[in-house]
Amino acid sequence: MAYSETRILIGGLAHVPVLIFIANFIKGKFGIKTEETKDTVVKEEPVKIVELKNTLVKEGKAETLKELSNKLDNIEQKADEVYEKVKKKKKDKKKKKKNN
């Protein structure tokens, strides 16, 4: 028994809502859920400006800079020592290779 074209179209159109439901169900299970964001309005209070004595801040900065520069000097010295040791080892290896 053959079906007419209109009957086939009506049958296809009847299945569209079912397919949409299945697609939305799968999308809901595996899709990323987003949360609604609430806009909060925060009233800003005026900023209070506190003046500090320049001498205290400068002294603290100077001490910090001295400490950092001392640490940097120590690191540079250690790096130079390591560089010299590596340089000596390379020379020793070259001499051993030439002797053999």
Side-chain angles (χ1 to χ4, degrees):
M1 180 172 161
Y3 294 107
S4 66
E5 290 180 25
T6 53
R7 189 169 186 163
I8 293 172
L9 287 175
I10 291 172
L13 292 175
H15 285 87
V16 170
V18 174
L19 295 174
I20 291 173
F21 172 76
I22 292 171
N24 284 336
F25 181 75
I26 293 171
K27 184 179 174 183
K29 288 291 182 184
F30 297 108
I32 298 172
K33 296 180 181 179
T34 57
E35 297 178 8
E36 291 183 23
T37 57
K38 295 181 181 179
D39 293 331
T40 56
V41 179
V42 178
K43 294 181 181 179
E44 295 183 19
E45 296 180 9
V47 178
K48 295 179 181 178
I49 299 173
V50 178
E51 293 183 23
L52 298 175
K53 293 183 179 179
N54 291 335
T55 56
L56 293 176
V57 175
K58 287 182 182 178
E59 288 175 5
K61 285 183 181 179
E63 289 176 10
T64 306
L65 288 174
K66 286 180 185 177
E67 290 174 12
L68 290 175
S69 64
N70 289 339
K71 288 179 182 178
L72 182 60
D73 291 337
N74 291 337
I75 291 171
E76 286 176 349
Q77 288 174 354
K78 288 179 183 178
D80 289 337
E81 290 172 6
V82 170
Y83 177 74
E84 292 298 324
K85 287 180 182 178
V86 170
K87 200 174 183 181
K88 287 180 184 177
K89 285 184 180 180
K90 284 184 180 179
K91 284 183 182 179
D92 292 340
K93 285 183 181 179
K94 285 182 182 179
K95 286 181 183 178
K96 286 181 183 178
K97 285 183 181 179
K98 286 182 182 180
N99 292 335
N100 290 334

